[in-house]
Amino acid sequence: MIGPLRTAAELDALAPAAPARRAVVMTMGALHEGHATLIRTARSLVGPEGQVVVTVFVNPLQFGAGEDLDRYPRTLEADLKTAAESGADAVFAPSVDEVYPGGEPQVRITAGPMGELLEGASRPGHFDGMLTVVAKLLHLTRPDTALYGQKDAQQLALIRRMVRDLNFPVEIVGVPTVREPDGLALSSRNRYLSPEERHTALALSRALFAARDRLAAQVALRARAESAPASNARAAALSALGEARAAADAHAVAAAQPGGGADAVRAAARAVLDDAAKSASPLVLDYLALIDPADFSEVADDHTGEAIMAVAARVGTTRLIDNIPLTFGAAS
């Protein structure tokens, strides 16, 4: 097991010799398989001669009033073991005083308009605090590459924007969301859920998968429509013969239009969440959004191209987020 580095000076002494590369994985601790996947991916990117640094720091700037800063899990000994087993060379676990030696910083990174949407609207100031600590940790660790999970899609988008806008000399890599076998996205907060609450929480991923399946069905209908130009006539003939189900299918094919369909995809996800709101441990929806990854604005029904379906909700006292990437476009 590796020991924690507590100061920037200790981290500086561990800097790899050129041309070896350094990758950093930033965490707030309570490491799980999602973090382990990030660490293993970092190791594969820098190779055996490179260096992987994991940061463990519960950042007070990104917690608002009434949030779970005090009860956020702190499991450093277990984190050191997970990091080492996953391929990390070092764990940088500084104190609050080491990161903010003069107290809370008066100068901070501002997330801008994108930081006021979705998570930013629900947690005012959260992204300013997140970007401020990410900027500080990038300066302290001086990596060539930094890896973040796609589960926190808005966070990842804002970090990429900060790095681009402020010319940070680092490559940002997003790593796909890691899920439990039943679909629940891995999160340090999952441990707060009772068994009944965890069952309800599965509605988040089920809603996203329902949206994905609805989009896939629309794509399939459009593909069939392209190959069946006479579908209207066929639907009318089937109706005359009393073949109601076949006629309905033929009508659906005839009505299929290239591109768009975002509203139906939203509706498929919302139906799952509405059912979960009626459960014994009800899901309380914060937001369900189908957004353009460029600026996190809601997409129109006729949207084509990349999109992200994002959801946030509370189950009991635990707030959870999840998302899934989608691609809208004409059938080929």
Side-chain angles (χ1 to χ4, degrees):
M1 188 168 70
I2 54 183
L5 305 177
R6 296 295 193 176
T7 67
E10 291 176 329
L11 188 60
D12 287 343
L14 199 69
R21 291 166 53 82
R22 172 182 277 182
V24 67
V25 174
M26 297 182 187
T27 82
M28 292 205 300
L31 302 189
H32 49 64
E33 180 58 26
H35 298 111
T37 299
L38 288 168
I39 297 167
R40 289 192 293 267
T41 304
R43 170 55 64 199
S44 69
L45 289 175
V46 300
E49 302 304 318
Q51 189 177 81
V52 176
V53 174
V54 175
T55 69
V56 174
F57 181 66
V58 181
N59 176 35
L61 296 191
Q62 64 194 71
F63 287 81
E67 293 190 336
D68 58 351
L69 173 61
D70 291 337
R71 74 174 186 133
Y72 195 87
R74 291 161 172 84
T75 57
L76 184 58
E77 288 302 312
D79 294 344
L80 294 171
K81 183 173 184 291
T82 298
E85 290 175 348
S86 303
D89 297 294
V91 172
F92 180 46
S95 66
V96 173
D97 288 340
E98 179 70 17
V99 177
Y100 304 120
E104 288 195 5
Q106 296 185 35
V107 177
R108 306 187 186 195
I109 302 291
T110 299
M114 194 195 305
E116 298 174 357
L117 304 172
L118 301 184
E119 285 299 291
S122 297
R123 306 176 66 188
H126 167 71
F127 285 126
D128 292 357
M130 179 276 293
L131 290 177
T132 298
V133 80
V134 167
K136 288 184 70 80
L137 289 173
L138 287 174
H139 288 313
L140 290 168
T141 59
R142 296 198 296 260
D144 300 285
T145 303
L147 296 89
Y148 302 90
Q150 291 178 358
K151 184 176 82 71
D152 296 296
Q154 194 171 5
Q155 170 179 284
L156 175 58
L158 284 164
I159 291 171
R160 283 177 165 152
R161 187 69 190 231
M162 178 185 72
V163 164
R164 181 170 69 250
D165 287 354
L166 301 183
N167 299 101
F168 278 71
V170 62
E171 175 192 17
I172 302 300
V173 175
V175 178
T177 301
V178 179
R179 300 183 179 278
E180 298 279 8
D182 58 10
L184 185 67
L186 287 177
S187 169
S188 301
R189 291 185 168 92
N190 289 351
R191 67 188 67 196
Y192 299 152
L193 298 168
S194 70
E196 190 174 60
E197 290 169 345
R198 193 185 184 287
H199 179 75
T200 298
L202 291 174
L204 273 74
S205 56
R206 287 204 308 268
L208 298 177
F209 299 155
R212 179 193 61 192
D213 293 345
R214 175 64 180 178
L215 178 57
Q218 291 178 173
V219 170
L221 276 174
R222 289 167 190 145
R224 289 175 58 194
E226 287 185 355
S227 63
S231 292
N232 278 314
R234 180 172 180 271
L238 287 166
S239 294
L241 292 171
E243 298 288 345
R245 290 186 64 182
D249 177 71
H251 277 298
V253 172
Q257 300 294 323
D263 288 347
V265 171
R266 287 188 186 93
R270 185 168 288 278
V272 176
L273 298 171
D274 287 346
D275 282 344
K278 303 170 187 174
S279 63
S281 293
L283 179 146
V284 180
L285 184 64
D286 189 343
Y287 62 76
L288 174 69
L290 185 57
I291 51 169
D292 186 329
D295 59 9
F296 274 62
S297 62
E298 283 278 352
V299 303
D301 185 48
D302 60 353
H303 176 76
T304 58
E306 300 302 313
I308 295 173
M309 175 72 82
V311 62
R314 289 189 181 275
V315 181
T317 60
T318 304
R319 186 174 185 276
L320 301 171
I321 63 173
D322 202 351
N323 71 84
I324 192 170
L326 301 170
T327 303
F328 289 80
S332 59

